[in-house]
């Protein structure tokens, strides 16, 4: 007897249950099922997709940073015991790297194989290309040197496409456009090591949005926009300070 096709509402319910239970791999499975059965995702469904992969990768990125710091600390000690401990710690780091690589490549594959092909012009296209830029950026942050340049370039290409599309299709105060500007600026700071370019992009997005703020947007959109603008302002303060310190040293 063939398996019954699950309705869209049932997929969405199971996805929400998985989110509430913080079972993010199960949430990914439900969203993939939705995509395979029904094609394009609704705004609510793609937000759930973003939540799932963000939680999976944030946990792994945090774990990687801790283990990487431990490995570097232990490597600075010259004893024979330390060399053995470094080997054990490195093994754990490599294991985390594989899990993180698999997660990042998984969402990029889903985007390339399914979601980008059905995305409508405007917010949906910007949303998906931003995600693509984000997960290539995460790969560029921790992979070995020989692959870093490739993932950095792939991330840059996705961010550039998304940003060009956002400038043409979305208002300066749109949360998706602002979120893209924030993450693109972070890319220039963290991956390209250029606080100057990060500040230039971030300040342009910030100034444009502030100039266009009004009361015509819904309360939720306004709240989301203001939260991103606050994050952007905080980063601009930090990056500007870095630039000033760099000038003082030189």
């Amino acid at each position: 007897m063939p398996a019954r096709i699950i309705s869209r509402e049932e997929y969405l319910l199971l996805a929400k249950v998985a989110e509430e239970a913080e079972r993010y791999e199960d949430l990914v499975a439900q969203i993939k099922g939705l995509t395979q059965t029904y094609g394009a995702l609704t705004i609510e469904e793609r937000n759930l997709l973003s939540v799932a992969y963000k939680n999976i990768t944030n946990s792994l990125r945090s774990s990687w940073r801790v283990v990487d710091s431990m490995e570097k600390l232990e490597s600075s000690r010259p004893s024979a015991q330390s060399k053995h401990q470094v080997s054990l710690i490195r093994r754990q780091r490599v294991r985390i790297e594989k899990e993180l690589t698999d997660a990042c490549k998984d969402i990029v594959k889903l985007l390339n194989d399914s979601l980008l092909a059905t995305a409508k012009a405007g917010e949906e296209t910007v949303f998906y290309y931003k995600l693509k830029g984000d997960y290539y950026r995460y790969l560029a942050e921790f992979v070995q040197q020989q692959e870093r340049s490739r993932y950095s370039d792939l991330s840059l290409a996705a961010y550039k496409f998304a940003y060009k599309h956002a400038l043409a299709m979305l208002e300066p105060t749109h949360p998706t456009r602002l979120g893209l500007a924030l993450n693109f600026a972070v890319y220039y700071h963290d991956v390209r090591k250029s606080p100057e370019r990060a500040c230039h992009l971030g300040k342009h997005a910030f100034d444009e949005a502030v100039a266009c703020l009004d009361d015509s947007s819904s309360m939720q959109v306004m709240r989301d926009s203001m939260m991103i603008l606050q994050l952007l302002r905080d980063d601009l303060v930090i990056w500007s300070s870095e630039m000033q310190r760099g000038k003082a040293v030189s």
Side-chain angles (χ1 to χ4, degrees), residues 117-150:
T118 59
K120 295 177 182 176
E123 194 269 343
E124 187 175 4
T125 292
V126 174
F127 182 91
Y128 287 142
Y129 271 97
K130 173 188 167 293
L131 282 184
K132 190 173 179 178
D134 289 343
Y135 287 93
Y136 276 135
R137 170 165 61 90
Y138 299 159
L139 285 166
E141 287 175 351
F142 71 87
V143 294
Q144 299 305 309
Q145 187 63 46
Q146 60 269 26
E147 291 188 287
R148 191 166 300 155
S149 178
R150 181 168 72 91

Side-chain angles (χ1 to χ4, degrees), residues 154-190:
L154 287 168
S155 178
L156 180 61
Y159 279 138
K160 279 185 172 180
F161 185 92
Y163 201 61
K164 182 178 180 181
H165 199 73
L167 291 176
M169 303 291 290
L170 302 180
E171 293 296 322
T173 54
H174 195 293
T176 301
R177 175 168 163 173
L178 283 173
L180 167 63
L182 173 64
N183 288 14
F184 197 1
V186 168
Y187 164 86
Y188 276 123
H189 180 270
D190 291 359

Side-chain angles (χ1 to χ4, degrees), residues 5 44 55 138 145 153 159 163 174 194 218 230 239 243 248:
I5 295 176
E44 183 178 22
N55 278 278
Y138 299 159
Q145 187 63 46
D153 289 346
Y159 279 138
Y163 201 61
H174 195 293
S194 176
S218 69
Q230 181 64 55
W239 299 337
M243 291 166 60

